[in-house]
Every structure is written in structure tokens, then in C-alpha cells.
Amino acid sequence: MTIKDYFPVIFGVLKDFRVIGTVIVMIIVIEFAKFVTTYKKKPPKPKKGKTPKPAPAPKEEKPAEGGDSSGSEEKK
């Protein structure tokens, strides 16, 4: 048998639906196994929640003019 006689046999085997299906399934299995073996969990991202705001500066109270220095006024 010469090399020219092998080509029809090789093409007949490669065109068979069972061979094509097996090759496709094996590629999927190999890619999944590669994914599983090389998988690394990503570190969690820091949450961008509400950042604590600095306390507002206390307002200075102006003392009432004249009279009491306590700042309270009596209404008449």
C-alpha cells in the first residue's frame, strides 16, 4: 500500500461524526480542567461605603448685647 492509498482512509476517519464529536468533547474537557487547575480567587474589593465625615466645627455664639451675659432674652 502506498502513501496515496492512505489518504482516503485518513480522510474517511477524520470525517466520521463520532471522531469529530469526540475531539470537540475532549477539547472542552481539557479547557475546563485547565481552568480549574489555574483558578485563583480574586481578593475582595474594598467596599466603597460611606466614609465617616469629620464633625462640624461648633458654631460660636455671639453674646446678646446689653444686659445678661447668659445669652437668654426675656420677652414681654
Side-chain angles (χ1 to χ4, degrees):
M1 215 172 166
T2 64
I3 293 179
K4 289 183 180 180
D5 295 335
Y6 285 115
F7 284 117
V9 174
I10 293 171
F11 288 132
V13 169
L14 293 178
K15 289 180 182 179
D16 188 30
F17 71 93
R18 292 171 288 198
V19 174
I20 294 171
T22 303
V23 169
I24 291 172
V25 169
M26 289 310 300
I27 289 172
I28 292 171
V29 168
I30 291 169
E31 289 296 321
F32 181 71
K34 179 182 171 188
F35 171 76
V36 170
T37 57
T38 60
Y39 180 77
K40 290 185 180 177
K41 189 173 183 179
K42 295 179 183 176
K45 294 182 180 178
K47 294 182 180 178
K48 292 185 178 180
K50 295 181 180 177
T51 56
K53 295 182 181 178
K59 296 181 181 178
E60 293 183 21
E61 294 184 18
K62 295 180 181 177
E65 290 183 17
D68 228 356
S69 64
S70 65
S72 61
E73 293 183 21
E74 292 182 23
K75 293 185 178 179
K76 292 184 179 181

